[in-house]
Every structure is written in structure tokens, then in C-alpha cells.
Amino acid sequence: ERVMTQSPATLSVSLGERATLSCRASQSVSTNLAWYQQKPGQAPRLLIYGASTRATGIPARFSGSGSGTEFTLTISSLQSEDFAVYYCQQYNNWPPLTFGGGTKVEIK
Amino acid sequence: QVQLQESGPGLVRPSETLSLICTVSGGSISSYYLTWVRQPPGKGLEWIGYVYSNNYTNYNPSLMSRVSMSIDTSKSQFSLRLSSVTAADTAVYYCARGDGGSYPSYYLDVWGKGTTVTVSS
């Protein structure tokens, strides 16, 4: 099973600043990685798949990068609606699909 | 656009079977991984498994002995059954559509709103 580790657990960022979230895989997952955003009381929403491809309707301020075991989600200029929990998920080796533990982006 | 909606009891007694249905509207359920994911209170996401349109299933090994899934294409519904539940199965249960492109492509592009299931006597 691929273990996904996200850091930091909590990221405090000011409006308009850049946020950089990390996700590490216990073994290579190539570029078979997705990112999701989850707001309180809501279902997760797909942001990125294939490590760097934005899903339909996702603003350009969200970008993903990385391959192998190290991945990054960058939010170039944080908007108020971006404060949420972000999860990475690998789909290179399954079952099972595995998710990271999440990074909470909060207002500084 | 495609929408998913979970339904089922919000309270299940310990040792009994949790049963949920996901109804899909606005699109086909063929050629997708029809997936269940759960989230215990205050915790992260756990993949439970999927059923494909040909009724093929694939489950999380950690739950395999207690899980079953099925599909009813005539009703655009798929279902989850989890037996012998305990308090540890208390969670929000989501159904989701997995993009079933060429293996291993499997990310979840459409989600239901989720339903809270509490296991308690």
C-alpha cells in the first residue's frame, strides 16, 4: 500500500499570498496523483489530476507539480474561498486508493 | 451535469448491516468506477471500494470481509453494504464517480454531498 504523507498539517496564509502544500509518497506513484479541496460540511472537489492537469472549472491560480514521490500544490494568490482542507490521492498502485492526511489552509 | 445523491439510514445498531444507495442523475453510469469513500468525524478520507457497470467490484483489503457493492443500471443506482458495524464505522459516507480511463487512471471527478451514518445502540 502506498502511504501518502502531507505537510504541513496546517498552513497559515494571508489573503493574496502564495500557498505551497506538499505531498510525499512512500514509493513512486509516477504522475498518478490527484488533489482535492474540501470545505467544512462539503464533499471533496477534484482540483488536479495527473499531478498537474487542472480539472474542469478550476481557476488557474491552482497548479500542481512533481512526479515520483514528491508533489506540490501551489495556490498562487489566496482568495477567501480557498481556505479549506486539501488532500492528495495516489492512483498508481491500487487497491487500495490512498489519500494523504490533509493540509488545512487557514487565514493568518 | 452529472449529480450523485446518497440515501439510507442515519443510525445503525452495532453488529448490524449498514446499507446505502447512490442515485446518479444527469449522465451515464457506464464505464466509470462507482466508488464509496468515507470520512470519520474530524479525520481524513478512506476509500472503501468500487463497483463497475459490469458488476465487477474491488474493495479496500482492510474492509473486504465486511463489504459488498452492487449496481442497478436500470435505476442508475449503486449500493453499499457494510456488515457487522461498530462505532469505528461512524462516518460521513460519500459516493463518487471515478474516471475509468486506461489503468491505472482512477481519480474522483464527481462526488455526492455525503450522508452521515452513526453506529450506536
Side-chain angles (χ1 to χ4, degrees), chain A residues 1 32 34 36 38 41-46 48-50 87 89-101, chain B residues 33 35 37 39 43-47 50 58-61 64 94 103-114:
Chain A
E1 176 177 322
N32 295 310
Y36 301 87
Q38 186 179 34
Q42 296 186 18
R45 175 176 71 145
L46 177 68
I48 301 282
Y49 61 93
Y87 294 95
Q89 173 236 315
Q90 69 83 22
Y91 51 92
N92 191 66
N93 293 82
W94 55 270
L97 287 190
T98 49
F99 295 88
Chain B
Y33 298 121
T35 300
V37 174
Q39 185 171 36
K43 296 189 177 181
L45 302 166
E46 180 181 30
W47 178 77
Y50 75 80
N58 202 322
Y59 304 139
N60 192 321
M64 187 178 296
Y94 296 100
Y103 182 86
S105 182
Y106 186 179
Y107 48 87
L108 301 168
D109 63 349
V110 183
W111 293 67
K113 293 182 178 181

Side-chain angles (χ1 to χ4, degrees), chain A residues 38 42-44 87 97-101, chain B residues 6 12 16-20 35-50 60-67 69 78 80-96 106 108 111-119:
Chain A
Q38 186 179 34
Q42 296 186 18
Y87 294 95
L97 287 190
T98 49
F99 295 88
Chain B
E6 305 88 352
V12 182
E16 296 187 346
T17 296
L18 178 160
S19 295
L20 297 175
T35 300
W36 291 94
V37 174
R38 70 180 183 178
Q39 185 171 36
K43 296 189 177 181
L45 302 166
E46 180 181 30
W47 178 77
I48 301 172
Y50 75 80
N60 192 321
S62 68
L63 297 169
M64 187 178 296
S65 63
R66 300 193 291 130
V67 171
M69 297 180 187
F78 60 103
L80 166 70
R81 289 172 59 86
L82 182 66
S83 64
S84 304
V85 298
T86 70
D89 296 309
T90 293
V92 177
Y93 285 76
Y94 296 100
C95 59
Y106 186 179
L108 301 168
W111 293 67
K113 293 182 178 181
T115 188
T116 299
V117 178
T118 301
V119 179

Side-chain angles (χ1 to χ4, degrees), chain A residues 11-15 78-80 83-84 104-108:
Chain A
L11 185 63
S12 298
V13 186
S14 300
L15 283 171
L78 266 158
Q79 306 299 301
S80 57
F83 293 98
K104 181 180 181 180
V105 176
E106 65 176 23
I107 299 174
K108 187 174 182 180

